[in-house]
Amino acid sequence: MSLALYNSLTRRKAPFTPLNPERVTMYVCGPTVYNRVHIGNARPAVVFDTLFRLLQTQYSNVVYARNITDIDDKIMNTAAASGEDISELSTRFAQAYFDDMAALNCLEPSIIPYATQHIPEMISMIERLIAKGHAYSADGHVLFAVQSMPNYGALSGRSLEDMLAGARVEVAEYKQYAGDFVLWKPSADHEPGWQSPWGYGRPGWHLECSAMIEKHLGETIDIHGGGQDLIFPHHENEIAQSCCANDGQPVARYWLHNGFINIDGEKMSKSLGNFRMVNDLLKQYPGEVLRYVILSSHYRSEQNFGKELLDSAWRSLDSLYGYLRGVPAGTAKLNKASAGYQALLDDLNSPVAISELYRLGKEMHAAEGEQQAQLRDELLGLSDIMGLLQQDADQWFKNIRGDQGISEADIEALIVERQQAKANKDYTGADKVRQDLLDQGVVLEDSREGTSWRRS
RNA sequence: GGCGCCGUAGCAAAGUGGUAAUGCAGUGGACUGCAACUCCGCCAUCGUCGGUUCGAUUCCGACCGGCGCCUCCA
């Protein structure tokens, strides 16, 4: 089976065929950098990183771009509130985002374009849209005229009338039509901005993606991804801008959208105060645990994050690493005929692929010698696509869990002490040592070769 | 009001027109000085009610319950 993807535009799953197999292109909407990112931002990063890895098993040249939105009213407000320079603030949080995503085993995208570095391209696109009758300037703004585009609303599946019927926002008086959206807006003197044919101002939110896609990836890309909340208005407007600027050329052929993450059954929101920042979670859980949780459900479904889920994911990963522990290190080797790989090709069915990890792990554990080595390599080949099992198994169990733990030297010393007690048939003493260690999160495992330990 | 999504064991989560993968937890047993690890076994009829069908968790309809989006940046 070859890769099949669910396309939000057609609302169905279809075989993926790139425009140019020699250069497969993917663009994913990255964060607006005005704060630490929350776990909801991590989902698209992990999901599309997995797709990036998967595509690379099929095509030799995959170009993956994920942008940084570094000009935006939210950034301006945050900077104004703290007095920090806007570029310093956005640079700081962009780096924080990179750090967080790296902790989740996300590969670096091929290209990381920044909005502020593409102002000329955006201005040029606006000029084209005006020239072609799709945009107009009014009162220092430039607006996209949605009525000039016949099938505006195709992605989100709504008609202009429907959208306006439910509109709950007052219509600015400079708009010719209530549904028109901003391409360029004026900045006050003290606000960040750039000179343009329409005066000092800054770009509208949607424009950067259209301009950067065109510049770095081309008029029409293969895959465009992002969170479900971006379907409307962001992606709808991106389509409008790019398509109209390029005489009807589609901007993306496959639109992929991941579902939301909720916290304990509720949407993350400021009013509920239930944002889960990736950085905070990383203080309690290895990044791989967060990644495992994200991949343990299908990317299009809603996912509910909670402590129980995270703890259980950690124990689940312990099982997988447990199978690998004691098996000599190997080299990942992808078996393209395997059920796990086929599951990933089927619209990224990571839950099934993960279940195959267990099957392979069990088989490997029961096997010996060359057969075991083969199964190990196959296991690693599959887990590599998902960015899981990226650590040495022994190390996984020795890493300190939580805030702090007893040192390795102290553990070893206590084990020696217990051996002595056992040799003296002082089982009460031996058990006490074990219980003491257990109380500190260390589990002892006796075997013919001696006593080993792990943190739990 | 408009558009759309979801409802599978304690917690998660796949899946299929022919009686439901997998993980965690639980539980019975083997192993162990006792444990841990590991192994063997057990643990669901798929929100409710109708319809279509030889047969539905899977298709259709209704209902109940939960949720998302509906434009200038919450």
Side-chain angles (χ1 to χ4, degrees):
Chain A
M1 182 173 153
S2 57
L3 178 60
L5 296 171
Y6 180 89
N7 189 344
S8 304
L9 193 58
T10 57
R11 290 156 203 273
R12 55 168 49 147
K13 193 159 66 180
F16 173 73
T17 48
L19 210 50
N20 174 9
E22 303 302 315
R23 186 171 187 266
V24 178
T25 49
M26 175 164 84
Y27 183 93
V28 173
C29 290
T32 300
V33 282
Y34 67 106
N35 199 348
R36 280 280 185 173
V37 295
H38 53 69
I39 191 69
N41 294 304
R43 173 121 97 145
V46 167
V47 164
F48 293 109
D49 174 70
T50 302
L51 180 57
F52 179 42
R53 293 165 183 259
L54 184 64
L55 286 167
Q56 286 177 314
T57 68
Q58 302 240 315
Y59 303 98
S60 56
N61 183 21
V62 181
V63 186
Y64 167 33
R66 189 186 60 202
N67 70 299
I68 293 290
T69 298
D70 57 351
I71 175 66
D72 174 274
D73 286 7
K74 288 194 287 278
I75 303 176
M76 285 163 52
N77 293 338
T78 307
S82 69
E84 185 174 7
D85 179 76
I86 184 166
S87 66
E88 278 174 24
L89 180 115
S90 60
T91 301
R92 191 157 57 85
F93 285 119
Q95 187 55 51
Y97 175 70
F98 299 146
D99 293 346
D100 287 347
M101 294 310 105
L104 299 182
N105 292 346
C106 289
L107 302 173
E108 206 171 286
S110 326
I111 303 171
I112 302 177
Y114 288 73
T116 55
Q117 290 170 17
H118 297 78
I119 302 296
E121 287 84 355
M122 290 194 244
I123 288 176
S124 139
M125 184 170 263
I126 295 175
E127 287 176 325
R128 266 186 286 156
L129 287 169
I130 292 177
K132 292 177 184 181
H134 291 293
Y136 58 92
S137 64
D139 201 16
H141 295 69
V142 181
L143 292 125
F144 185 94
V146 296
Q147 286 172 305
S148 73
M149 186 185 185
N151 52 356
Y152 181 77
L155 179 67
S156 51
R158 43 190 108 196
S159 66
L160 285 176
E161 303 79 70
D162 290 344
M163 284 184 240
L164 299 183
R168 51 186 185 194
V169 176
E170 282 183 44
V171 179
E173 70 282 356
Y174 49 78
K175 288 188 180 180
Q176 288 178 5
Y177 180 74
D180 294 348
F181 61 89
V182 168
L183 296 171
W184 188 265
K185 59 180 157 189
S187 289
D189 289 341
H190 67 279
E191 291 177 331
W194 293 263
Q195 289 303 330
S196 80
W198 315 283
Y200 182 69
R202 58 189 191 274
W205 170 37
H206 317 298
L207 191 56
E208 58 177 86
C209 294
S210 287
M212 297 192 291
I213 285 173
E214 185 180 302
K215 176 175 182 187
H216 295 285
L217 301 179
E219 282 188 12
T220 300
I221 62 173
D222 291 308
I223 296 170
H224 192 131
Q228 229 149 45
D229 54 329
L230 297 179
I231 291 177
F232 191 89
H234 186 53
H235 290 163
E236 196 71 76
N237 292 346
E238 242 185 274
I239 289 174
Q241 294 159 349
S242 295
C243 182
C244 290
N246 291 322
D247 301 320
Q249 289 302 311
V251 61
R253 302 168 60 239
Y254 294 83
W255 285 88
L256 272 58
H257 293 98
N258 62 272
F260 281 129
I261 284 182
N262 294 329
I263 301 296
D264 297 325
E266 291 179 307
K267 184 186 176 181
M268 277 192 287
S269 72
K270 264 185 191 152
S271 56
L272 291 168
N274 62 350
F275 276 101
R276 288 290 182 284
M277 304 319 243
V278 173
N279 183 243
D280 290 332
L281 290 168
L282 285 173
K283 289 173 189 160
Q284 297 176 62
Y285 301 95
E288 216 166 86
V289 168
L290 304 186
R291 184 166 181 120
Y292 182 97
V293 170
I294 288 171
L295 293 177
S296 69
S297 74
H298 188 85
Y299 76 92
R300 276 192 283 117
S301 58
E302 198 172 82
Q303 185 172 35
N304 192 26
F305 249 67
K307 184 179 187 312
E308 191 177 0
L309 184 61
L310 286 159
D311 290 341
S312 129
W314 199 339
R315 288 191 294 267
S316 298
L317 268 176
D318 279 348
S319 292
L320 288 173
Y321 274 115
Y323 288 126
L324 281 167
R325 202 156 59 125
V327 176
T331 312
K333 199 173 288 178
L334 178 62
N335 175 2
K336 291 196 173 182
S338 68
Y341 183 65
Q342 293 300 313
L344 289 173
L345 289 179
D346 183 15
D347 196 31
L348 231 51
N349 194 336
S350 49
V352 167
I354 286 178
S355 77
E356 285 299 305
L357 254 26
Y358 288 94
R359 194 183 57 72
L360 287 165
K362 271 183 203 170
E363 270 188 48
M364 171 191 73
H365 188 75
E368 294 180 331
E370 185 52 34
Q371 198 190 5
Q372 182 183 60
Q374 261 178 26
L375 287 162
R376 172 203 58 207
D377 292 350
E378 180 176 341
L379 171 67
L380 295 176
L382 182 59
S383 65
D384 270 1
I385 302 180
M386 292 186 277
L388 296 173
L389 304 183
Q390 301 296 292
Q391 298 183 38
D392 173 77
D394 283 317
Q395 193 54 49
W396 171 264
F397 288 107
K398 298 204 165 171
N399 290 335
I400 289 183
R401 304 186 168 199
D403 296 337
Q404 49 187 233
I406 179 173
S407 75
E408 295 193 17
D410 289 349
I411 294 171
E412 301 289 356
L414 283 167
I415 287 176
V416 170
E417 195 180 300
R418 174 166 169 270
Q419 293 297 9
Q420 195 54 54
K422 276 176 71 174
N424 297 339
K425 293 271 192 278
D426 172 17
Y427 290 121
T428 309
D431 287 349
K432 181 179 181 311
V433 171
R434 186 173 57 210
Q435 187 59 46
D436 285 351
L437 281 168
L438 192 58
D439 292 342
Q440 300 185 75
V442 176
V443 178
L444 298 185
E445 296 176 358
D446 293 338
S447 71
R448 277 184 295 281
E449 291 77 40
T451 299
S452 61
W453 61 274
R454 65 183 168 86
R455 298 187 199 268
S456 71

